[in-house]
Amino acid sequence: MQQNHKKALQDPIFKILSDAASGLALESYVIGGFVRDYILDRGTHKDIDIVSIGSGIALAEKVASMLPGNPKISIFKNFGTAMLRHHDMELEFVGARKESYQRDSRKPIVEDGTLKEDQERRDFTINALALSLNKENFGDLLDPFEGVLDLDKKIIRTPLEPCVTYSDDPLRMMRAIRFATQLNFEIELRSLQAITENKERIKIISAERTVDELHKIMACEKPSIGFSLLHNTGLLDYILPELTALEGIEEVEGQRHKDNFWHTLEVVDNIAQTTDDLWLRWAALLHDIGKAPTKKFSKKVGWTFHGHEFVGSKMVYKLFKRLRMPLNDKMKFVQKMVLMSSRPIVLAEDFATDSAVRRLVFDAGDYVEDLITLCEADITTKNPRKQKKYKNNFKLVRAKIVEVEERDHIRNFQPPVSGEEIIKTFNLKPSKEIGIIKAAIKEAILEGEIPNEYQSAYEYMLELGKNMGLSIINEKKR
Ligand code: ATP
Ligand code: MG
């Protein structure tokens, strides 16, 4: 039976599209994500793809001329597409086409095609659904590959032979996994096998596009769905070998360490429940990558990963560079999180002293709350007693950070006594004594020996100078 979805096309823009198309005698359809998300009731998809049997660019020009304010259109001649914005929508126009591919590129040879041929070249049956904009059957659903059934069964399936689809454009492997994660769908078995067979072809996809999909997976409610699929199909070895290197449990003389790969995925899922911050989620994904290269076993202490935080933070730079991710403050943030990722754990295992909290705030600065969020997510113990204890302790640490901060203002610490003042007081030439005095004042504040304020720090400086055998040349009058 022919389904009709006029209701999906209630926005006045669809009437304009329909009028423009009939004026040009161009058969036209809304296709792709908009239709899929409408049927899934996922809210309105703001980028609307329109396919016409003939020139998409001509339709875009006609539509623009009919819209108030005559919006500007961007034309991509090479691709035969055009785009225009209307309110909060992005309309993307393309002429129906059929495609054939060559092995070494994801750039196809494109020819004009029918609607069915255009739907065939779409990645998944659920993305090939089209709604008619034509007068005689406005709102009718055209679904030659049973995409609606797949929506119902929650299945990702390709319209054509999966091996051909993925080999033609290996980006589709990433997209399949991304949609499976976003929609919580299963990838059809034949597709999964085809992805596994074609995994190596991911190499022809630019790092930017791959990362774009990774970001989308990372933004999902349960990113582990995507990362498990990337891992099981073997794609992850090509994209993030640092992560797959964490997989496995070794046992020597009866001593085992945990599987840090699956642990990491748990941490990412945990953090996804408490923050939408993409980069904090990346920090969770990468927090243990230093563990593979630092793993050691010794009879005395068992398994250790000495310095893995430092090694891991260095690896972050290389990984970002390889994947052409930004080498900016976002990367520095991830590095800092990885570097400090074990610091708060000691506080949660034991009673957190004021001075330990002050030191943490001093070192983490404005990132301290994010760091605690990461460490809370890092609690994956299956022992309910420990689980509860750690969670509670982190609550106490959070409260203590607020309390200590109100009193001592350690965040973005500025030395209360300046270098110049030290020079003047003792009439020093630039020398290492100045650094020693400054560091000692900072230590005294962090230890809680003196409060973080000028007068106490000044007096402490005079004391220090005396003990170092310096004479006070210019003492401040009280
Ligand atoms: P979303 O916008 O949520 O990512 P979408 O389905 O709208 O989902 P787009 O990337 O906006 O995805 O692409 C629009 C449509 O173009 C898709 O629904 C699909 O029909 C088609 N498409 C996009 N990329 C590919 C591809 N690599 N291979 C085949 N078809 C594709
Ligand atoms: Mg879209």
Side-chain angles (χ1 to χ4, degrees):
M1 195 193 72
Q2 190 64 50
Q3 287 189 46
N4 187 281
H5 290 282
K6 270 197 195 78
K7 254 175 92 184
L9 308 179
Q10 273 174 340
D11 191 290
I13 188 68
F14 295 108
K15 168 89 170 62
I16 297 173
L17 284 165
S18 179
D19 290 346
S22 96
L24 294 173
L26 269 180
E27 230 183 90
S28 301
Y29 303 86
V30 183
I31 195 162
F34 176 89
V35 186
R36 180 197 67 225
D37 285 354
Y38 173 78
I39 296 176
L40 283 176
D41 203 9
R42 280 185 93 223
T44 334
H45 200 95
K46 294 295 177 194
D47 49 301
I48 301 172
D49 295 287
I50 298 126
V51 61
S52 40
I53 318 307
S55 168
I57 296 174
L59 181 60
E61 279 164 348
K62 178 85 178 168
V63 170
S65 75
M66 290 165 72
L67 285 172
N70 229 319
K72 189 170 96 24
I73 52 178
S74 322
I75 295 178
F76 307 94
K77 267 231 171 72
N78 294 347
F79 298 96
T81 65
M83 194 272 280
L84 65 83
R85 280 177 219 282
H86 176 65
H87 299 317
D88 59 347
M89 290 174 273
E90 229 180 71
L91 308 181
E92 180 94 45
F93 297 83
V94 65
R97 53 197 182 185
K98 62 175 180 209
E99 291 177 351
S100 47
Y101 287 82
Q102 291 158 313
R103 237 193 111 64
D104 55 347
S105 153
R106 63 179 289 266
K107 289 199 182 66
I109 300 161
V110 180
E111 294 164 83
D112 288 349
T114 63
L115 175 66
K116 173 105 186 290
E117 281 166 338
D118 188 279
Q119 285 171 300
E120 265 174 5
R121 68 158 190 101
R122 304 261 159 187
D123 47 6
F124 309 114
T125 60
I126 61 168
N127 286 348
L129 300 166
L131 292 181
S132 167
L133 291 168
N134 308 315
K135 297 286 173 198
E136 64 280 8
N137 60 353
F138 188 80
D140 272 6
L141 177 74
L142 291 111
D143 178 17
F145 306 107
E146 303 196 303
V148 171
L149 208 63
D150 288 339
L151 284 179
D152 217 46
K153 294 196 290 192
K154 294 172 163 274
I155 282 181
I156 310 274
R157 190 167 63 88
T158 57
L160 298 180
E161 183 53 40
C163 256
V164 176
T165 303
Y166 294 113
S167 169
D168 279 351
D169 176 3
L171 182 67
R172 292 169 183 159
M173 305 193 281
M174 296 298 295
R175 285 174 60 89
I177 291 173
R178 187 254 292 185
F179 283 118
T181 317
Q182 278 180 333
L183 304 173
N184 202 2
F185 275 30
E186 300 273 337
I187 300 177
E188 191 208 32
L189 189 61
R190 285 188 330 132
S191 250
L192 267 184
Q193 286 164 346
I195 294 174
T196 310
E197 273 162 40
N198 283 284
K199 61 186 176 191
E200 214 196 323
R201 284 185 58 71
I202 195 67
K203 287 184 185 161
I204 69 165
I205 301 299
S206 74
E208 286 84 350
R209 280 177 188 275
T210 306
V211 166
D212 205 38
E213 296 298 330
L214 278 183
H215 284 333
K216 287 180 181 169
I217 291 169
M218 200 71 116
C220 289
E221 208 178 304
K222 207 170 167 217
S224 68
I225 298 175
F227 285 102
S228 306
L229 286 166
L230 287 171
H231 175 259
N232 295 341
T233 53
L235 279 170
L236 202 57
D237 285 329
Y238 293 91
I239 305 169
L240 292 167
E242 296 87 347
L243 273 186
T244 48
L246 294 175
E247 200 201 2
I249 300 173
E250 256 190 272
E251 183 170 329
V252 178
E253 296 180 4
Q255 301 214 49
R256 293 150 68 94
H257 63 78
K258 68 173 175 248
D259 185 312
N260 285 301
F261 175 72
W262 297 104
H263 160 73
T264 292
L265 296 198
E266 263 185 79
V267 178
V268 175
D269 280 352
N270 285 345
I271 211 161
Q273 291 185 10
T274 52
T275 180
D276 288 334
D277 184 332
L278 177 68
W279 301 103
L280 190 48
R281 291 181 177 203
W282 267 100
L285 186 73
L286 304 181
H287 81 285
D288 271 349
I289 51 174
K291 281 191 173 172
T294 56
K295 184 165 98 170
K296 281 209 170 64
F297 181 84
S298 79
K299 279 191 191 311
K300 235 187 191 159
V301 285
W303 291 104
T304 59
F305 305 91
H306 277 311
H308 78 84
E309 301 87 349
F310 178 75
V311 172
S313 75
K314 296 283 165 214
M315 289 165 75
V316 166
Y317 171 78
K318 285 192 192 144
L319 186 153
F320 268 53
K321 197 160 178 220
R322 184 186 73 234
L323 292 176
R324 310 237 185 120
M325 306 226 286
L327 302 175
N328 57 11
D329 53 323
K330 303 296 180 206
M331 183 208 59
K332 289 204 183 108
F333 167 76
V334 176
Q335 279 192 306
K336 181 131 187 168
M337 288 294 114
V338 174
L339 182 63
M340 294 193 70
S341 56
S342 304
R343 283 281 300 278
I345 293 164
V346 220
L347 301 187
E349 276 169 352
D350 215 347
F351 175 73
T353 62
D354 281 14
S355 63
V357 170
R358 268 193 297 269
R359 282 182 189 282
L360 185 72
V361 176
F362 178 82
D363 291 333
D366 282 337
Y367 299 150
V368 71
E369 279 86 10
D370 286 340
L371 186 62
I372 304 287
T373 303
L374 172 59
C375 291
E376 283 167 336
D378 203 2
I379 307 171
T380 60
T381 168
K382 301 293 172 284
N383 175 334
R385 198 183 48 79
K386 275 194 187 166
Q387 168 94 236
K388 199 163 158 205
K389 175 181 144 189
Y390 291 157
K391 283 205 168 132
N392 249 330
N393 284 359
F394 273 127
K395 252 188 222 143
L396 295 178
V397 171
R398 278 189 192 272
K400 202 149 215 173
I401 288 172
V402 176
E403 181 197 312
V404 165
E405 193 46 28
E406 263 170 23
R407 195 176 59 225
D408 302 329
H409 311 287
I410 296 298
R411 201 177 284 219
N412 306 318
F413 179 83
Q414 293 293 333
V417 176
S418 69
E420 281 104 83
E421 186 143 15
I422 300 169
I423 292 176
K424 212 170 101 198
T425 308
F426 302 110
N427 195 24
L428 292 172
K429 297 242 154 38
S431 59
K432 70 168 194 267
E433 275 79 9
I434 305 157
I436 293 171
I437 294 173
K438 272 180 96 169
I441 294 173
K442 184 195 92 187
E443 276 301 305
I445 292 169
L446 292 179
E447 273 307 305
E449 287 162 23
I450 58 168
N452 183 15
E453 49 146 59
Y454 175 75
Q455 193 56 39
S456 313
Y458 183 79
E459 278 160 26
Y460 190 75
M461 171 194 73
L462 294 181
E463 256 323 289
L464 280 168
K466 244 193 263 163
N467 294 342
M468 288 165 76
L470 302 174
S471 16
I472 301 163
I473 308 296
N474 294 299
E475 186 169 356
K476 220 175 221 151
K477 297 211 172 53
R478 307 215 178 170

